[in-house]
Amino acid sequence: MTEQPLLSNITFPCPASFLLTGIPGLGTMHAWLSLPFSSMYLLALLGNAALLAVVKVDTTLHQPMFLLLAALAATDLGLASSVAPGLLAILWLGPRSIPYAACLTQMFFVHALTAMESGVLLAMACDRAVAVGNPLRYPTLVTGARVGWVAMALGLRAVAIVVPFPLLVARFRHFRMRNVAHAYCEHMAVVELVAGNTRANNIYGLALSLAVSGVDVLGIAGSYGLIARTVLRLPTREARAKAFGTCSSHICVILAFYVPGLFSYLTHRFGRRTVPRPVHILLSNIYLLLPPSLNPLIYGARTKQIRDRLLSFFTPWKNQL
């Protein structure tokens, strides 16, 4: 009965590496879990690479809407690749060691790319709001150059707000253990190992989640509020359906990103005592891999220009008829 308190007081200097244990409690199911996660990663790689190739090759798609879609696809590729290879290695081979510096690097890229994706979705919502609300001035208000500046600004925002995460962890010199109960170096999962006052980490993590996601969600909601007001003023039902149809793909992508993210966040912050820890970790991995795998399917199926271009790649014989 006295061993646990004694063990909990043992600390050691900053380790050379951490041990990522994967999804605790589900070790017997790792082989089965690897099937959906490997499928999601394969879809993310092939789908987003195909979208990038289509937008690059087809000059008629060098428009703001599709340039933003290319930015989303590039972000999805980076996000999936920063998590999936390590996750699959754990599911196939068991717990794996990751160097301390590599752990902090992965932490930075995972959180930065998540913030970048949220920002790109906000930019796409604003783009649709201008296209629907002011179509005559859209070509002059939204240009390829301005999209490039917006993408650069979103990238700088993501870097600026996420850099403190690894820095706040790097300031600690003693840890209680080196086993990270997660499949990747998530910020709070690493902070739980720290021997010291982690109040600053907790406050910054909570404030960042509320600020970034909150601002982006409010911006998206405001954009679609303007879209809805404009569309409802259109005279015919067909015109309203066509206007809403131009935004349907983006709405599906927003739901695929924010709904799993919100559920994962709420269960992590407020359901620790009621929701088992394996469920937290499983949800966080699904949250990072589901949108990158679904987004290409959504845009490929619902955007006519992309669908037609993809079909022309796979059915070249049609062009010879």
Side-chain angles (χ1 to χ4, degrees), residues 178-202:
R178 61 182 291 265
N179 292 354
V180 181
H182 216 296
Y184 64 91
C185 287
E186 197 269 337
H187 174 244
M188 292 309 301
V190 177
V191 169
E192 290 177 355
L193 310 182
V194 169
N197 187 348
T198 61
R199 184 179 178 85
N201 298 70
N202 296 330

Side-chain angles (χ1 to χ4, degrees), residues 89-105:
I90 293 174
L91 295 178
W92 287 331
L93 305 175
R96 71 182 184 96
S97 179
I98 181 171
Y100 179 78
C103 183
L104 296 185
T105 301

